Amino acid sequence: MDRADSVFEVRVACSPAAGLAEEVGVAVPAGATLLDALRASGFLERHPQIDLERQAVGVWGRVQPLDAPLAPGDRVEIYRPLQIDPKDSRRRRQRQQRDATCSPQR
């Protein structure tokens, strides 16, 4: 195996705050893990609020452990904790829509 085959690129995406999204490409060696890519991305240093003990991480929208091996072209993602339960949000929107359509018209 030559040097060109032992290194490949992955993308690392992060949205550290609402309305802010970043994505970088990083070169990682064959056998690299999700944690290796996160460290190589620099996100952990630039965004100290990222807590890998509490936040989920994954590849292409699927949660994975930090020691999951990567493949060429993978997209590593850091997921922010939800601020509101999606079910509660949906119920609130439905209630607002119902109230808007059922209110008396004058």
Side-chain angles (χ1 to χ4, degrees), residues 2-99:
D2 64 11
R3 174 98 174 118
D5 291 337
S6 63
V7 176
F8 57 88
E9 184 168 311
V10 297
R11 305 292 297 170
V12 181
C14 174
S15 176
L20 177 64
E22 298 179 42
E23 185 173 330
V24 298
V26 296
V28 294
T33 64
L34 205 143
L35 181 58
D36 296 329
L38 292 172
R39 288 181 176 152
S41 73
F43 284 141
L44 301 177
E45 292 79 26
R46 286 194 307 277
H47 303 289
Q49 72 272 24
I50 295 173
D51 181 359
L52 296 179
E53 303 238 345
R54 294 184 330 112
Q55 290 179 243
V57 294
V59 177
W60 290 113
R62 292 202 166 126
V63 175
Q64 299 285 325
L66 290 171
D67 62 352
L70 296 174
D74 275 348
R75 184 175 193 263
V76 175
E77 301 158 337
I78 303 170
Y79 307 117
R80 278 188 294 137
L82 294 175
Q83 298 298 315
I84 186 168
D85 182 344
K87 290 180 182 178
D88 289 340
S89 178
R90 181 171 177 254
R91 285 184 197 111
R92 185 178 312 132
R93 282 192 313 273
Q94 287 178 331
R95 192 175 317 121
Q96 289 171 344
Q97 289 172 352
R98 183 187 64 229
D99 292 347

